[in-house]
Amino acid sequence: MTTPLVPNLTLHWDDADSHTLTGYQRHGGYSALKKAFTAGADGVIQIVKDSGLRGRGGAGFPTGMKWGFVPQNDGKPHYLVVNADESEPGACKDIPLMIANPHSLVEGVIISSFAIRANHAFIYIRGETPHPIRRVRAAVAAAYQAGLLGKNIQGSGFDLDVVVHSGAGAYICGEETALLDSLEGRRGQPRLKPPFPAVAGLYASPTVINNAETIASVPAIINNGADWYKSYGTEKSPGIKLFAVSGHVKRPGIYEAPLGITMRELITYAGGMKSDLPLKFWIPGGSSVPMLTADHLDIPLTYEDMAAAGTMLGTGTPMVFDTSTSVVKAVIRWIEFYKHESCGKCTPCREGTYWMVDILKRMEKGKAQLSDMDLLVDISAQISGRSFCALGDAAATPFPAALKYFKEEFEEVIKMAGAQA
Amino acid sequence: MTILANSNQPKSNDNDLITAVIDGIAVRVPKGTLAIRAAEMLGIEIPRFCDHPALSPVAACRMCLVEIEGMPKPQPSCAITLTEGMQVKTQNSSQVASSAQEGVMEFLLLNHPLDCPTCDKGGECPLQNQAMSNGRADSRFEGTKRNFQKAININAQVLLDRERCVSCARCTRFADEIAGDPSLELLERGAKQQVGVADDQPFESYYSGNTVQICPVGALTSAAYRFRARPFDLVSSESVCEHCASGCSLRTDSRRGKVLRRLAGDDSEVNEEWNCDKGRFAFRHLMQDRITTPLVREHGELRPASWPEAIRYAAEGLRNQRAAVLAGGRLTLEDAYAYSRFARVALGTNNVDFRNRTASSEEQDFLTNHVAGTGLGVTYQDLEDAQVVVVIGFEPEEESPIIMLRLRKAVRNKTLKVIAIDSANSLGFKKLNADLRLTKPGNESAAISELIKDLQDQNSIILVGERLASSHGAFSATVAVAEKVGARIGWVPRRAGERAAVDAGLLPNLLPAGRKVFEPRDREVVASAWGVSVEHIPTKPGLTQLEIISSAVQGEIDAIVTAGVDINDVANHAAFAAALNKTFVVSLENRASSVIEFADVVLPVGAITERAGTFVDWEGRLRTFDAVMQESLALTDARVLHLIAIELGHTFKDDAKVTSLRSSYSSLGAVSKPGTMNLVAASTTKTGLVLAGWHHLLDNGSLQAGEPHLAATARAVVAKVSSETAQANGLISGNRVIVRSKLGAITLPLEISEVAPETIWLPLNSEGSSVAMQLQIDIGAEVSVSDGGAI
């Protein structure tokens, strides 16, 4: 049985004007807003809780529960911050979403802000990608024009201002507390927790930070109900998700499907392997999660099944590599990325990535020894779980995962280089 | 591994204690205590770099990782607050913790140059020490270390070696959280992360030297100490700073009789563990221009003399003369006490005054009734605990920088509001977020009277500075307001010895410990402490410094004994010089000074490092210290005075030992309640443009001699006026301004700033702006100004 695709956010991307207010409203856009106002703030939180929506930024934290952490009637301003700083190697779902359907995000922002009693929302978009920034800015401007943002939105008495903020080119700013520091005008480095953002986030006020896809999913849930959403996916991973398939497939792109679809199915939807070479390895959701092989193609893409397989669903943006790829070079590129993006705050990530790249570069040049593999495993272990934020853990992931399946290839590269020398 | 009473550790409250277990040992601590602090209490040392008890936790270095039961990953003990029943395992009992620490240490040494043999920190380096205790025996890193240009200046005084830096962010947090000068920051990212400053913005802070002291590696060094010594060759002595009335505890490090550096000492009640750059770096005066032998004047020239000859010469010159004592602000309590006794008994006079600065009879009355002999009054902790602190005629950062740090600490905690009554805004006032009431010099008493509405029902303290002596009625208004609202008053002089001088009775109406010259009972008590008959204490009221100078000029004073006095500090220095010229002058001094050219006999005394003594800080706290140079043969002022007194035929109950004088003073007891001050009304408001100003912390003060690096961090020397004043007087911002008194002029660049109306602000003793020397007027005096053209 093949899992069918369920276009929801992507349904009208073929329309020439899908990014405009007219295009969005032609298909019922902003109708969820009225329902949300009728349901009331607590009602919206309940619906989102019931839907089982989990954060689409990688960690998969239940969204409704996150909203519920925000203290009510505390006299402080609340903020909604949308994390659209999509920078993970291999992750490319929020950017196309914001290009093709920015109003779903804007409507989601309004409903979510209403639910958590925020009158000020920020959309933090990766700075290297000007096109989605332009599209979201235009969408926000159009929403203001149409009375969907600003004072007393649609007579509901609810006020909301939205700021679209462009990042300045740091991967770390996708980490939610670093993002907050960056938004406040500081250097982007992660903050000590507690306090958690729900209690003291942006400007030390209660703040909800959600991924762009998560927020964009909210209008459909309000429109169609929690049960509709839950009818897709599994019990622990309900709903539908954007799967951005990239790499050695014939038709890389966004495939919107229920959670639980398998990689084999996604590759089929993507037209099969690019040069009809066999698949060598794949990564479920960005370079931060451990790789899998052809043996794992039939495991359902859910939070729980991926965890059981020793990896993570992550952002749900699978990268596919065929046998023309050197796993050694792939690992080197990823770790170089983490070294380049390490913010420098904590020792393990700052120094550990520096060291790993040093060894891997040596390996690439044929100057490594077999014992360096143990050393790299050791260094990864010295970073993992000891760094300040998840970035260090991410940097410690690729090598041990690659070694698990491709130890011989590493040994071969080292030995071959030795023979050449 | 300091534990501070006021560190980031919550205050103990019996109802709020929890029990946690560290390495199997139960510990009861206040809720919110950090694991690393609790471990310290048990004597368990967890290695750390970024952790500092006085700075907010960052958990960046990861050196202090420990295992906590129930938590999957090792946790930074510097950021984990203990909860009831928490089980913490440090490197002593957990493989997870010790291997995590070893791993972090290996990482830290990866890019560290390991240049310990040439590093100033070698031998006292937490990185070195903890690499030995918590690191691997050797490194597995074979690659190329990260390179940076070697030491670069972050200001003229502090150098940064980025290769040695471990990115602990102590210095940057100090700059931001403690000093409030956040121009030191971490820049770049990843392995390129580095401490730095903006190109055009050096780390301008009066507290910059503290970053050198708290740096856990050799990344920050001072120009003054760099490559000068090895820590294991140094002898460290506890000492007390001689530069101002803050009373900082210091650690003085010397080698073979020479001071090589000074560090802030730990004293949670006073300076916590900070000090200012002046206290840290300005110590060359201890060794420079020293007078090493007695000198006597013969045929108009000073020539070296033996001690017996010089003492005899001095005694003969003073015998049966109409004499006076002008002993300035550098004196210890014991020395000041000796001068007080010497003047009364040996010279038979009450002509004694320590105030070599603007002074008034109203101030004298205030000091007599509210300061002298009152012991410990308002304290640093009181400032921290207050709801409102008013500073009047006192700029905390410039005039007593540790008060500034304590006030700022409370302001940052949002528990304190600072109100300032002064003539101009300043960086210090801004850092205190002060409610500044710009007041034209002379008009203070009106502004003070309005404080009632701010202080009503508040736990409030009023700090008054010595500058207030120039404002008629200001002390009276302060006392009146304080009495009305129940506020407490603290007097903050600028010099380290002034409070001791007041307590020792170096005023014409005062005997030691607040005893009064005109009170028969007081005279009896003092005479008995001195072991002299009461007739030996003169009853005739003495003269103030101003009166002594004018009397001497008129030939009514024959001889003057001076100590620590610079004639260039006062506006009437011409008269002062004439007075000294006309009289027999005995100068007790440790360095060449402006008095020496007038002296008939110069008697060298020990520098502050060469003798024991006690400074009394602004709180009235006794800051007792021992000699740093134990082997020094230098004499104290008291010892020299004792020799002259003996020559004059006087003996006292006690000898001139510091300890004897100290116990003699303390036998007099303390004043239990303030006296009644004679309140005076303010004079009429001055019209026309008047002079305002204060001393910059770093200026031409004689104790800062020979410190070019320190001097280079001084603030810009500019005149300041408000834009209205500029407009009214045709002054142009960025141009020079010429400030004129009847006797002279000062030309400085003009800055438009927040200044009181009809007021021009000048630094009082900076390069090109020596108000006493050049204008020969006091603050509050009328001046005229004109545009001095483009710079």
Side-chain angles (χ1 to χ4, degrees):
Chain A
M1 189 192 88
T2 313
T3 313
L5 294 177
V6 186
N8 167 42
L9 287 169
T10 54
L11 186 58
H12 304 291
W13 286 16
D14 287 344
D15 294 2
D17 62 351
S18 70
H19 60 281
T20 64
L21 184 60
T22 332
Y24 186 61
Q25 281 181 323
R26 187 162 60 240
H27 302 293
Y30 288 106
S31 57
L33 196 52
K34 287 193 189 95
K35 288 189 188 169
F37 287 146
T38 314
D42 291 333
V44 172
I45 295 180
Q46 196 54 50
I47 295 169
V48 172
K49 268 187 187 164
D50 292 344
S51 76
L53 175 65
R54 293 175 66 168
R56 301 295 188 225
F61 193 83
T63 305
M65 197 192 287
K66 192 182 242 186
W67 292 4
F69 289 154
V70 174
Q72 295 305 334
N73 305 318
D74 55 343
K76 282 187 176 176
H78 296 177
Y79 296 109
L80 175 75
V81 175
V82 176
N83 185 348
D85 189 44
E86 183 171 62
S87 322
E88 174 108 345
C92 187
K93 61 179 184 72
D94 297 335
I95 286 166
L97 168 68
M98 289 185 288
I99 292 172
N101 192 2
H103 279 284
S104 64
L105 178 61
V106 175
E107 188 178 7
V109 164
I110 305 169
I111 296 170
S112 309
S113 300
F114 172 69
I116 63 160
R117 284 88 164 166
N119 299 111
H120 220 124
F122 297 83
I123 304 173
Y124 188 103
I125 307 178
R126 180 179 178 187
E128 295 97 318
T129 55
H131 196 42
I133 298 173
R134 282 194 293 263
R135 284 275 165 96
V136 175
R137 284 203 172 131
V140 166
Y144 267 109
Q145 199 97 65
L148 295 162
L149 286 175
K151 295 271 174 234
N152 190 17
I153 297 169
Q154 297 197 322
S156 62
F158 174 63
D159 306 334
L160 179 67
D161 283 307
V162 174
V163 172
V164 180
H165 183 91
S166 161
Y171 173 58
I172 185 64
C173 293
E175 198 283 338
E176 61 179 20
T177 58
L179 187 153
L180 294 180
D181 263 21
S182 171
L183 254 187
E184 287 181 13
R186 297 164 206 271
R187 214 163 146 253
Q189 283 199 334
R191 294 179 181 176
L192 204 58
K193 288 185 275 197
F196 290 93
V199 177
L202 191 64
Y203 305 117
S205 298
T207 302
V208 166
I209 306 159
N210 276 133
N211 172 260
E213 184 192 344
T214 314
I215 294 294
S217 303
V218 170
I221 292 172
I222 299 298
N223 252 336
N224 304 320
D227 288 338
W228 164 79
Y229 198 70
K230 263 198 312 204
S231 69
Y232 297 104
T234 64
E235 191 193 337
K236 285 181 180 162
S237 304
I240 40 188
K241 161 127 202 42
L242 301 177
F243 289 96
V245 184
S246 65
H248 296 143
V249 290
K250 286 210 170 76
R251 285 194 306 275
I254 309 266
Y255 296 88
E256 196 168 13
L259 286 152
I261 194 169
T262 65
M263 195 61 219
R264 194 182 300 281
E265 289 169 327
L266 283 175
I267 291 175
T268 310
Y269 282 123
M273 297 300 291
K274 189 178 179 187
S275 314
D276 296 323
L277 284 172
L279 179 137
K280 185 172 175 182
F281 59 95
W282 61 284
I283 292 188
S287 61
S288 298
V289 308
M291 62 173 62
L292 296 172
T293 63
D295 296 343
H296 307 97
L297 285 174
D298 294 316
I299 302 174
L301 288 164
T302 63
Y303 296 103
E304 61 276 17
D305 291 299
M306 286 295 111
T311 182
M312 287 184 291
L313 181 63
T315 48
T317 53
M319 273 190 281
V320 179
F321 298 87
D322 66 22
T323 50
S324 70
T325 317
S326 158
V327 71
V328 177
K329 293 219 178 208
V331 167
I332 293 176
R333 297 296 163 265
W334 284 325
I335 296 183
E336 275 185 320
F337 170 81
Y338 289 111
K339 179 202 170 195
H340 182 258
E341 294 295 341
S342 170
C343 79
K345 179 165 185 156
C346 75
T347 310
C349 176
R350 181 182 69 236
E351 306 294 339
T353 53
Y354 181 92
W355 194 1
M356 284 199 289
V357 167
D358 182 83
I359 296 169
L360 289 166
K361 286 269 189 191
R362 211 145 34 84
M363 198 176 278
E364 210 176 7
K365 284 185 194 148
K367 304 253 170 80
Q369 297 144 10
L370 286 175
S371 61
D372 282 332
M373 295 203 301
D374 292 339
L375 185 53
L376 282 168
V377 171
D378 236 28
I379 296 171
S380 301
Q382 277 174 212
I383 300 173
S384 185
R386 298 167 186 185
S387 56
F388 191 94
C389 76
L391 241 79
D393 296 338
T397 300
F399 184 77
L403 206 64
K404 189 168 161 191
Y405 302 113
F406 300 102
K407 191 171 183 195
E408 294 75 19
E409 189 174 333
F410 279 92
E411 286 173 349
E412 219 169 286
V413 165
I414 293 168
K415 280 184 199 155
M416 222 162 63
Q420 279 167 0
Chain B
M1 318 293 163
T2 334
I3 304 179
L4 280 179
N6 297 308
S7 65
N8 55 14
Q9 188 179 308
K11 283 190 182 129
S12 175
N13 176 348
D14 281 351
N15 306 325
D16 256 352
L17 293 177
I18 53 124
T19 305
V21 180
I22 304 177
D23 287 346
I25 310 167
V27 58
R28 261 176 91 67
V29 289
K31 231 182 219 169
T33 301
L34 295 170
I36 200 167
R37 296 280 95 75
E40 281 168 358
M41 292 175 197
L42 294 175
I44 297 169
E45 217 172 88
I46 301 172
R48 84 287 302 265
F49 293 101
C50 66
D51 170 69
H52 190 285
L55 303 174
S56 60
V58 279
C61 77
R62 318 302 283 179
M63 192 62 217
C64 69
L65 291 174
V66 294
E67 188 183 354
I68 293 174
E69 224 174 76
M71 295 196 188
K73 302 172 180 179
Q75 297 293 321
S77 58
C78 69
I80 289 287
T81 51
L82 293 177
T83 53
E84 182 63 41
M86 190 182 265
Q87 298 268 348
V88 179
K89 291 179 181 168
T90 74
Q91 71 278 7
N92 297 332
S93 66
S94 156
Q95 181 57 39
V96 171
S98 68
S99 93
Q101 291 172 8
E102 262 185 28
V104 171
M105 180 54 83
E106 186 175 28
F107 283 147
L108 283 172
L109 295 178
L110 212 65
N111 273 313
H112 191 78
L114 298 175
D115 56 348
C116 310
T118 59
C119 177
D120 288 302
K121 202 79 173 182
E124 55 176 11
C125 176
L127 181 61
Q128 209 174 34
N129 296 344
Q130 293 176 154
M132 300 296 279
S133 60
N134 303 85
R136 297 167 55 93
D138 54 7
S139 171
R140 297 179 288 178
F141 180 67
E142 292 171 5
T144 313
K145 286 177 192 273
R146 171 190 61 205
N147 286 117
F148 282 117
Q149 186 194 330
K150 270 294 178 184
I152 53 168
N153 280 87
I154 56 169
N155 66 25
Q157 181 66 68
V158 180
L159 291 102
L160 166 69
D161 183 329
R162 291 165 292 178
E163 291 181 348
R164 292 177 185 158
C165 176
V166 292
S167 284
C168 72
R170 278 191 188 180
C171 56
T172 55
R173 278 178 292 152
F174 170 83
D176 179 27
E177 296 172 14
I178 307 292
D181 301 311
S183 58
L184 195 63
E185 250 302 356
L186 284 162
L187 316 171
E188 303 291 342
R189 70 186 190 206
K192 287 183 193 151
Q193 177 174 259
Q194 55 192 277
V195 172
V197 292
D199 286 344
D200 52 348
Q201 230 184 321
F203 178 44
E204 274 176 357
S205 173
Y206 283 158
Y207 309 95
S208 71
N210 291 291
T211 61
V212 177
Q213 190 169 344
I214 60 172
C215 180
V217 295
L220 291 167
T221 51
S222 71
Y225 176 70
R226 218 168 130 70
F227 301 134
R228 295 292 198 290
R230 311 297 331 209
F232 32 82
D233 290 335
L234 297 174
V235 177
S236 296
S237 321
E238 282 179 27
S239 52
V240 177
C241 187
E242 75 280 15
H243 282 288
C244 82
S246 283
C248 288
S249 162
L250 295 182
R251 188 182 110 192
T252 300
D253 284 354
S254 59
R255 184 184 58 189
R256 296 191 294 276
K258 202 172 154 190
V259 175
L260 282 160
R261 68 170 171 185
R262 297 207 299 197
L263 305 169
D266 277 2
D267 191 329
S268 59
E269 291 183 318
V270 180
N271 54 311
E272 302 198 301
E273 54 188 281
W274 317 119
N275 74 342
C276 74
D277 285 357
K278 182 153 85 171
R280 183 178 300 265
F281 295 125
F283 56 80
R284 219 150 294 181
H285 70 91
L286 298 167
M287 296 163 274
Q288 210 174 44
D289 299 331
R290 289 294 299 274
I291 304 164
T292 51
T293 174
L295 306 168
V296 297
R297 197 169 290 279
E298 194 174 62
H299 312 305
E301 295 290 322
L302 284 174
R303 64 155 174 85
S306 69
W307 273 104
E309 184 194 5
I311 293 289
R312 251 194 328 273
Y313 192 87
E316 290 321 308
L318 294 171
R319 197 185 300 277
N320 300 325
Q321 298 294 311
R322 294 168 297 175
V325 172
L326 297 173
R330 73 161 160 78
L331 301 180
T332 61
L333 178 65
E334 295 84 352
D335 281 339
Y337 185 67
Y339 277 103
S340 188
R341 186 172 72 175
F342 180 81
R344 270 66 190 226
V345 180
L347 302 180
T349 180
N350 283 315
N351 297 338
V352 187
D353 201 344
F354 71 94
R355 295 170 299 172
N356 194 52
R357 53 170 173 79
T358 308
S360 71
S361 56
E362 182 190 357
E363 182 204 25
Q364 190 177 327
D365 195 9
F366 169 79
L367 295 177
T368 302
N369 290 294
H370 290 274
V371 176
T374 52
L376 188 64
V378 176
T379 64
Y380 282 104
Q381 189 61 47
D382 293 340
L383 295 181
E384 196 179 326
D385 295 340
Q387 292 170 292
V388 184
V389 169
V390 187
V391 293
I392 312 172
F394 168 58
E395 205 283 358
E397 189 173 44
E398 301 280 12
E399 296 175 298
S400 199
I402 301 305
I403 294 184
M404 152 74 193
L405 291 189
R406 196 58 83 93
L407 291 175
R408 186 163 187 278
K409 182 180 175 189
V411 168
R412 261 192 114 236
N413 287 340
K414 299 190 163 54
T415 56
L416 172 69
K417 179 190 174 181
V418 173
I419 299 173
I421 296 179
D422 218 319
S423 54
N425 206 349
S426 69
L427 183 59
F429 289 144
K430 285 176 195 160
K431 291 199 289 195
L432 292 172
N433 198 17
D435 173 356
L436 173 65
R437 297 160 188 196
L438 287 173
T439 307
K440 184 178 176 183
N443 292 356
E444 282 85 353
S445 80
I448 292 166
S449 303
E450 282 179 22
L451 284 171
I452 290 176
K453 59 181 186 297
D454 300 291
L455 305 186
Q456 209 80 60
D457 304 320
Q458 298 280 306
N459 170 9
S460 56
I461 291 168
I462 305 175
L463 294 181
V464 290
E466 63 177 43
R467 280 191 276 126
L468 216 51
S470 65
S471 179
H472 192 67
F475 279 106
S476 300
T478 304
V479 169
V481 166
E483 276 170 6
K484 201 162 267 175
V485 299
R488 300 169 69 197
I489 304 177
W491 176 65
V492 189
R494 219 167 48 80
R495 295 179 173 94
E498 297 220 345
R499 176 61 193 261
V502 175
D503 284 339
L506 290 182
L507 280 171
N509 60 325
L510 267 182
L511 294 170
R515 306 279 174 173
K516 296 178 180 71
V517 165
F518 54 83
E519 291 277 359
R521 172 78 196 127
D522 283 357
R523 288 153 38 75
E524 269 168 35
V525 171
V526 171
S528 135
W530 288 349
V532 297
S533 76
V534 74
E535 298 81 58
H536 275 106
I537 299 180
T539 48
K540 190 182 163 202
L543 304 176
T544 63
Q545 189 221 33
L546 277 176
E547 293 161 346
I548 290 167
I549 290 172
S550 57
S551 298
V553 170
Q554 284 158 28
E556 290 159 11
I557 296 276
D558 309 311
I560 299 177
V561 176
T562 71
V565 171
D566 184 343
I567 63 171
N568 298 330
D569 280 349
V570 287
N572 61 338
H573 58 87
F576 199 165
L580 294 175
N581 214 5
K582 253 185 147 162
T583 50
F584 181 80
V585 176
V586 178
S587 168
L588 280 72
E589 210 38 281
N590 55 41
R591 302 172 61 210
S593 81
S594 57
V595 172
I596 284 187
E597 64 174 295
F598 304 102
D600 293 278
V601 53
V602 179
L603 301 165
V605 293
I608 210 67
T609 39
E610 295 160 354
R611 42 128 108 241
T614 302
F615 282 127
V616 185
D617 75 2
W618 69 274
E619 305 166 285
R621 188 187 299 272
L622 301 184
R623 309 293 285 153
T624 299
F625 54 91
D626 257 340
V628 169
M629 310 299 172
Q630 294 280 352
E631 67 282 11
S632 170
L633 299 174
L635 305 182
T636 61
D637 296 60
R639 177 82 185 130
V640 174
L641 294 176
H642 199 70
L643 294 171
I644 302 173
I646 291 169
E647 193 69 28
L648 288 170
H650 293 280
T651 54
F652 305 106
K653 196 161 89 184
D654 301 299
D655 56 26
K657 283 198 187 114
V658 167
T659 44
S660 312
L661 292 161
R662 200 178 292 156
S663 57
S664 175
Y665 171 79
S666 55
S667 74
L668 293 171
V671 174
S672 52
K673 61 175 203 263
T676 310
M677 185 183 161
N678 180 27
L679 300 185
V680 300
S683 50
T684 47
T685 307
K686 280 180 192 169
T687 53
L689 191 68
V690 300
L691 177 77
W694 56 65
H695 288 78
H696 278 318
L697 182 73
L698 301 177
D699 61 4
N700 282 346
S702 60
L703 299 191
Q704 298 163 56
E707 305 285 356
H709 304 296
L710 177 66
T713 65
R715 297 221 167 120
V717 180
V718 292
K720 296 179 192 177
V721 293
S722 68
S723 56
E724 293 80 9
T725 307
Q727 208 155 34
N729 292 278
L731 303 180
I732 297 155
S733 175
N735 271 15
R736 290 191 188 85
V737 57
I738 306 170
V739 187
R740 286 191 185 82
S741 70
K742 289 193 177 98
L743 295 168
I746 284 176
T747 307
L748 283 184
L750 180 72
E751 187 182 298
I752 304 297
S753 180
E754 290 165 77
V755 180
E758 298 180 311
T759 302
I760 182 157
W761 184 96
L762 294 179
L764 294 182
N765 188 28
S766 294
E767 198 58 47
S769 181
S770 174
V771 168
M773 286 283 281
Q774 293 168 270
L775 298 184
Q776 306 185 41
I777 53 172
D778 285 326
I779 51 177
E782 237 179 280
V783 287
S784 63
V785 294
S786 58
D787 179 42
I791 293 168

